Structures are given as C-alpha cells and as structure tokens.
Amino acid sequence: MIESLQMMSNRAYILASKLSETRGIPQRYAEIIKKHFNITYMEEFLRNEEEFRNKIQVLFVWEYCPTVDEKLLKSLPLLKAVVNCGVGVDHLDLPLIFSFGVKVTNTPHVVDAATADIGMALMLASARNILEGHRIATKIDTKIYPIKWNGVEVTGATLGIIGMGRIGYKVAQRARGFDMKILYHNRNRRVEEEERLVGARYCAKIDSLLQESDFVMLVVNLTPQTHKLIGERELCLMKSTATLVNISRGAVIDQDALVQALQKGYIRAAALDVTDPEPLPRDHPLLHLPNITLTPHIGTATDQTNINMLERMIENALAATRGLPVPDEVLPS
C-alpha cells in the first residue's frame, strides 16, 4: 500500500475536462491513464485551483475539451504540453499556446486507417442510396419495394482525392480494390512509385480534377489556405452526376454554396462526416436535403483507434514531462 501511494505521488498530474462517455474521458480510458498519471478533472481544478496549479504539467484534450484559452494557460505555470487526440489541431490557438512555452502534440498515423474507411463508407452509402434504402425497408407502411431505385456505380468510376497525405493515400489503396481511376491534387506530388502502386494520376491544378471526377473526396488539413477551398466556383466545375465527400473539416467547404449546388443540381450528392459547426443548427438546410448523407464526425470512432490514440497521447505526455523528445510534437509553422 505504501509503495502504491509512493508511485502515485511520483506521477505527473494531467488536467482533463471530465469523466464522461460523451464529452470527456471515458472511465475505461481513465483507468489506462491512471497507470501513468494522476488525473485532475476541470471541475475539481476550478474548485481547488491553488492546490493544483503548481502540479498540472499536461493538458489532455479529448474530443476538443477542455477549451485551452489564455485564462487557463495563465493558471498553469508548470504546464509543459497540450496533448491532443486526433490529427487536426485547428481548434487550438497554437500561437497563444506556444507563447507560453508549451508544446502541442497530436496523434498522426494511428487514425489513418479508420478515417480512410469512413471515406469509403460515405462514398458507397451515398452512391447506392443506403440511407434511403434503409428508410424504405423499415417503413411501417412498406408493402413492396420500388422497382427502380437506382444509385451510381463506384466500381470503375473516377475518384478525385484532394489531399494525398497518409489518409488520402490509404483511401487510394482502398479505391484501387474497386478498380477506380484515381486522380489526386496535393501541395507536393508523390514519387512515381507511390503513384504507380495505386494507379494514381497527379493533377497540378484542382480544376482538372474537379471536372473529371465522379467522386471528389476532401482529405486536407484545415488551414487558412484550405478554408472554403470548395466554393461556388469549384462546385460548378464538378460533373452534375458527381458526389462530394468530406472527411477533413467542415470549414473546407463553403456550406452555403454547397446547399445551393445540391438544391439546384449542380452536383448529384454530398456525403459529409464533418460540418461547420458541429452539430449543425437543427434548422440548417443541409439537414433537410434528400441528396446528402451526414455522419457526426465519426472518422476515428472505433474502439481500436481510440485506444491507439490514447496510448500515443500517453507516450507524448510522458516524453514532455520527462524532458525527452516528444514523438508527435506540432511545430510552429
């Protein structure tokens, strides 16, 4: 018992939002964290700030919580790292955090497969009208199935991938199994061997990709350069039979322009795992269009991926508290 208490006293303290299955650290994950750290939750911290302010060394940001603002940073003089789950850090004020001499980390690589999977799932669900098919099959008054409820072919179609990083490349690998023709647009062209392995053709300009693709999938980080990357002009360049799939961030699309494009038939459909904001207001027109498929930002929502992210967060936090090189440090741009 004494040894156990001594081990606990030697562990660094982390601050997390709360113990919660929805907007905090789930209990089963908290038990894993406790093997390495003492956890303080925000409510307890706010009640006893003087007790904890000189103990907390790491902020665990899980599902965008807690909010890391100037007031919180000033209250944590020993803070060494803000450890974020997932890849995107656009919800963090990086210049502000860096100004306090605090490191930021994310969890790249471990989310790649699950996010690529959701991209394929959305594309297939939209192409084959899965949601509408489910509605017809389960309606209480369904007597017969409609003779004609046609979707569009995925096999052999052209997929344009905007953002051919790790996740985009995994999407291409999966699309290769559907004999899809693959186009991609990226800041940097991949080496010829990587292109050959997935049968991908590089498009130096985004316009040609938009014009040729049956499906356009967005797999980019949200940056000032990609904010509203897809707007009215880009949507009008797409085929009227094309589908837009977004597994990156909602703000990469001009949503007002997307509503118009879907209503007026500029494109066939959209399939989105992300919106801006999340969730959308309940009266938002995107929620009520027949040619849209929406999921609630579940790209990384598998048990295994969540465990992998948590373990990587712990690795980053341990390195930061021990003064070691941090494996997934996000550097100032």
Side-chain angles (χ1 to χ4, degrees):
M1 180 66 175
I2 294 175
E3 288 181 359
S4 176
L5 290 172
Q6 187 174 10
M7 286 177 62
M8 290 183 65
S9 67
N10 291 334
R11 294 175 189 158
Y13 279 75
I14 70 160
L15 178 62
S17 54
K18 60 182 176 179
L19 193 66
S20 169
E21 291 297 315
T22 54
R23 296 293 287 175
I25 304 290
Q27 179 66 53
R28 61 191 181 281
Y29 298 161
E31 296 305 317
I32 297 173
I33 297 170
K34 286 176 183 176
K35 295 176 183 178
H36 307 277
F37 297 99
N38 294 309
I39 306 177
T40 302
Y41 295 104
M42 185 61 72
E43 185 177 352
E44 181 184 14
F45 173 74
L46 293 175
R47 284 199 312 263
N48 304 284
E49 184 174 328
E50 287 305 312
E51 177 185 349
F52 291 108
R53 69 188 311 270
N54 290 316
K55 292 181 178 179
I56 304 295
Q57 295 186 53
V58 178
L59 271 173
F60 255 49
V61 179
W62 187 270
E63 296 295 335
Y64 300 168
C65 296
T67 300
V68 186
D69 56 19
E70 185 173 9
K71 180 180 179 182
L72 181 59
L73 290 167
K74 284 182 175 178
S75 68
L76 300 171
L78 299 185
L79 188 66
K80 295 181 178 178
V82 174
V83 176
N84 181 69
C85 74
V87 178
V89 290
D90 50 274
H91 57 289
L92 297 174
D93 187 339
L94 296 182
L96 173 66
I97 297 170
F98 292 147
S99 73
F100 280 80
V102 173
K103 297 180 185 295
V104 174
T105 76
N106 59 357
T107 58
H109 309 293
V110 297
V111 305
D112 298 352
T115 307
D117 286 351
I118 202 69
M120 296 301 293
L122 282 168
M123 181 169 63
L124 288 163
S126 179
R128 300 306 303 274
N129 300 314
I130 296 298
L131 296 184
E132 180 62 14
H134 175 79
R135 186 187 68 80
I136 292 169
T138 57
K139 274 182 66 176
I140 192 71
D141 57 348
T142 294
K143 304 296 183 184
I144 60 171
Y145 292 154
I147 295 173
K148 184 178 181 181
W149 186 256
N150 289 346
V152 296
E153 293 281 348
V154 171
T155 298
T158 299
L159 170 63
I161 301 172
I162 300 177
M164 187 70 108
R166 296 182 316 276
I167 297 171
Y169 195 77
K170 286 191 176 295
V171 169
Q173 290 174 324
R174 287 154 174 73
R176 185 70 163 162
F178 285 84
D179 295 323
M180 299 188 83
K181 303 175 185 70
I182 299 168
L183 310 177
Y184 78 98
H185 173 76
N186 204 45
R187 285 179 301 174
N188 302 304
R189 183 172 181 173
R190 282 187 168 266
V191 299
E192 186 177 338
E193 175 66 10
E194 291 173 336
E195 291 180 342
R196 187 189 63 77
L197 286 172
V198 294
R201 174 163 64 86
Y202 178 64
C203 296
K205 295 188 179 297
I206 196 173
D207 290 9
S208 58
L209 179 148
L210 294 170
Q211 291 166 337
E212 296 180 46
S213 299
D214 299 306
F215 299 89
V216 174
M217 192 175 299
L218 301 172
V219 202
V220 296
N221 291 324
L222 178 59
T223 67
Q225 291 71 38
T226 61
H227 183 258
K228 294 190 177 180
L229 177 68
I230 302 298
E232 181 180 5
R233 187 190 78 85
E234 290 74 24
L235 290 163
C236 288
L237 286 174
M238 293 174 62
K239 296 179 180 181
S240 61
T241 55
T243 299
L244 180 66
V245 182
N246 189 9
I247 56 172
S248 54
R249 287 291 187 267
V252 170
I253 298 175
D254 181 336
Q255 288 182 163
D256 292 337
L258 179 59
V259 169
Q260 290 293 312
L262 292 170
Q263 289 176 334
K264 295 180 179 180
Y266 296 160
I267 62 173
R268 172 187 173 271
L272 314 175
D273 186 44
V274 288
T275 58
D276 183 29
E278 291 176 354
L280 289 171
R282 296 298 87 185
D283 60 349
H284 196 284
L286 278 179
L287 300 180
H288 308 290
L289 294 174
N291 51 347
I292 192 160
T293 302
L294 289 171
T295 50
H297 203 152
I298 57 173
T300 61
T302 72
D303 288 337
Q304 189 58 57
T305 294
N306 273 252
I307 290 294
N308 292 344
M309 285 195 296
L310 182 66
E311 290 176 346
R312 197 65 180 177
M313 291 172 73
I314 290 170
E315 286 182 44
N316 287 320
L318 287 171
T321 57
R322 293 170 180 174
L324 300 173
V326 179
D328 302 311
E329 183 175 357
V330 176
L331 299 175
S333 56

